[in-house]
Amino acid sequence: MRRNMLIAQSGGPTVAINASLSGAVKRAMKHPEIDQIWGGRNGLEGILNEQFVDLRQKLNSQEAFRQLESTPAMALGSCRYKLPEEPGSVYEKLRGIFSRYEIGYFFYIGGNDSMDTILKLSQSFGSVGDDVKCVGIPKTIDNDLPCTDHTPGFGSAARYIATSVAEIACDSAVYNVPSVTIVEIMGRNAGWLTAASVLARRGGCSAPHMICLPEVPFQLEKFLKRLGHLQPQVQNPIIAVSEGVRFAEGGYVSSQGEQVDAFGHRTLAGVGKYLEQLVRDNLGCKVRSIELNVLQRSASHLYSATDIGEACRIGAEAVSFAVQGKTGVMATFERVSDHPYLLAYKSADIRLIANREKTVPLEWIDVDRYDVKEALTQYLSPLICDENGCGIPVYFSL
């Protein structure tokens, strides 16, 4: 009977993904059913090259675990490797590697595309009768995985974005000159991160004054009309915009040619600059665009303690699910209560998750005002707290 474990990370980094790795390894060390604990370097690419790390040896103290949990990005490295749709030599090679290392438990920490890997491997092992439990551990700042209330990594990214928007609002108000600031935020097809900018509205901060999400078709004339209506009321409006906003016909506003990655995702860049020029040409005021870029997923100085704690726990629960005999599933959060904020840890069939996306519900979006509704603020608020239960700072305002 195979008793060894293999865990790897994939996709884009987050502040919390190493916490999930830490939680999984800690829990595995408590399960007598698990012997060796291997870490695969650079996801499937490293596994195919048998680039393994002995995690029992590397994580041999509480200080090592603590340091891992507070380190952003991905300790094991990442890849964007897509398994073939049809059975073939790649699957045969993987089954051979798993057999040689006596792997009985496999965990992949990642987002939509990583769950595609869990789906395919669980089906591949099952088709030949190999007893390998394959379980997905969710990760994505985009918060777009179905079947889970939210995803590890999202809370910390949301906290960074909202804090940054509040600080940008302070900066833009220094001079008594009308201006517009456009903040470009990650989010290809789901606007959760951009919507999280609403949490900046605390104390005297009214930013962002417009929120543009990919769930709502972008209309140039309507956008300019709304901004023009705002200007007499707000001297320095701040606009939060998703990188993935698109026109009604489906084309991305920021689409750069036809370049795509291994999973068919088109390269996006420049919506902030595009809108900057659009506003300058039509309204003639001072305009600046800001792209938050990779800091959204790597700014550990503004991590959410809620996020890190939940990431540790869901990694641990995923290991227990596998030991209990579950395979072809992903560990999930189920929100039990908002006040007080309580979660349950469950699992969901990977077939309901892989290659699917959860977008912001339209009933939570104020389409006419380029805004989001209070229900979304209530959903977001518990996810961004620090160790003292505080979320976004309140800055002094005259």
Side-chain angles (χ1 to χ4, degrees):
M1 179 181 178
R2 301 181 186 180
R3 297 167 57 93
N4 295 335
M5 162 180 157
L6 174 62
I7 187 168
Q9 299 167 315
S10 181
T14 80
V15 168
I17 190 170
N18 285 330
S20 291
L21 173 63
S22 174
V25 174
K26 280 182 181 177
R27 182 65 61 86
M29 288 178 171
K30 295 180 180 179
H31 275 293
E33 297 90 345
I34 296 174
D35 290 334
Q36 186 62 53
I37 303 173
W38 295 109
R41 299 297 304 270
N42 296 110
L44 273 185
E45 289 181 355
I47 292 171
L48 284 165
N49 292 315
E50 299 183 44
Q51 296 175 342
F52 293 170
V53 178
D54 184 341
L55 291 179
R56 283 191 185 273
Q57 182 183 46
K58 294 294 183 181
L59 296 170
N60 56 9
S61 68
Q62 288 302 311
E63 175 59 21
F65 279 108
R66 186 205 62 76
Q67 192 173 47
L68 175 62
E69 290 164 13
S70 61
T71 299
M74 301 157 102
L76 290 173
S78 185
C79 72
R80 292 195 180 276
Y81 183 92
K82 185 177 178 64
L83 282 170
E85 298 298 325
E86 301 298 327
S89 58
V90 172
Y91 292 97
E92 292 173 6
K93 183 175 182 179
L94 284 169
R95 288 197 297 267
I97 292 170
F98 276 55
S99 177
R100 282 197 301 280
Y101 285 86
E102 298 184 341
I103 304 298
Y105 306 97
F106 175 63
F107 304 94
Y108 217 27
I109 314 175
N112 311 74
D113 300 328
S114 302
M115 296 309 120
D116 173 75
T117 297
I118 289 292
L119 171 63
K120 290 173 178 175
L121 285 182
S122 62
Q123 291 175 337
S124 176
F125 288 123
S127 68
V128 295
D130 277 355
D131 186 22
V132 179
K133 304 297 187 288
C134 300
V135 176
I137 302 175
K139 170 273 338 170
T140 175
I141 64 168
D142 294 320
N143 196 39
D144 60 353
L145 286 174
C147 302
T148 184
D149 180 78
H150 57 279
T151 54
F154 171 66
S156 294
R159 187 166 190 250
Y160 173 80
I161 287 165
T163 303
S164 297
V165 168
E167 292 171 346
I168 290 168
C170 290
D171 183 90
S172 70
V174 167
Y175 299 106
N176 191 28
V177 177
S179 68
V180 175
T181 304
I182 298 161
V183 185
E184 180 179 335
I185 298 169
M186 287 181 175
R188 179 180 301 275
N189 299 321
W192 295 102
L193 283 172
T194 305
S197 65
V198 72
L199 297 173
R201 295 176 187 163
R202 300 191 67 206
C205 181
S206 59
H209 304 97
M210 293 174 65
I211 298 175
C212 304
L213 305 180
E215 286 82 358
V216 180
F218 187 80
Q219 301 176 48
L220 295 180
E221 291 184 4
K222 185 178 178 182
F223 171 81
L224 291 170
K225 182 178 179 181
R226 177 63 185 165
L227 183 54
H229 176 73
L230 266 176
Q231 279 195 307
Q233 308 168 50
V234 183
Q235 186 175 33
N236 309 107
I238 311 293
I239 302 169
V241 57
S242 292
E243 64 179 355
V245 289
R246 65 185 80 187
F247 299 113
E249 64 271 21
Y252 290 105
V253 174
S254 61
S255 180
Q256 302 293 301
E258 297 299 322
Q259 185 176 352
V260 296
D261 64 16
F263 290 86
H265 304 315
R266 184 169 294 147
T267 301
L268 300 181
V271 67
K273 284 295 180 185
Y274 173 85
L275 294 180
E276 176 185 337
Q277 192 61 49
L278 179 76
V279 173
R280 183 178 293 113
D281 291 345
N282 285 271
L283 300 183
C285 62
K286 177 183 177 182
V287 190
R288 174 185 289 130
S289 62
I290 299 170
E291 183 184 355
L292 299 183
N293 213 302
V294 297
L295 285 172
Q296 295 164 89
R297 66 190 194 190
S298 63
S300 60
H301 63 289
L302 279 174
Y303 74 90
S304 159
T306 301
D307 188 28
I308 300 300
E310 291 177 351
C312 283
R313 177 71 183 277
I314 204 165
E317 295 301 324
V319 171
S320 290
F321 291 148
V323 170
Q324 293 163 12
K326 293 186 178 183
T327 189
V329 300
M330 184 186 82
T332 63
F333 297 127
E334 180 182 297
R335 191 175 300 208
V336 177
S337 169
D338 284 316
H339 307 288
Y341 172 62
L342 295 173
L343 286 180
Y345 293 83
K346 303 290 184 72
S347 64
D349 190 327
I350 202 70
R351 292 173 295 183
L352 303 176
I353 300 168
N355 304 306
R356 304 190 185 195
E357 290 179 310
K358 177 185 70 178
T359 56
V360 178
L362 289 178
E363 60 267 25
W364 285 359
I365 303 173
D366 188 336
V367 175
D368 294 330
R369 296 176 60 83
Y370 283 85
D371 207 345
V372 297
K373 297 180 180 179
E374 178 61 22
L376 183 50
T377 304
Q378 293 294 322
Y379 164 82
L380 294 167
S381 296
L383 309 181
I384 60 163
C385 297
D386 63 14
E387 291 90 342
N388 300 315
C390 299
I392 309 306
V394 177
Y395 297 117
F396 178 80
S397 175
L398 290 174

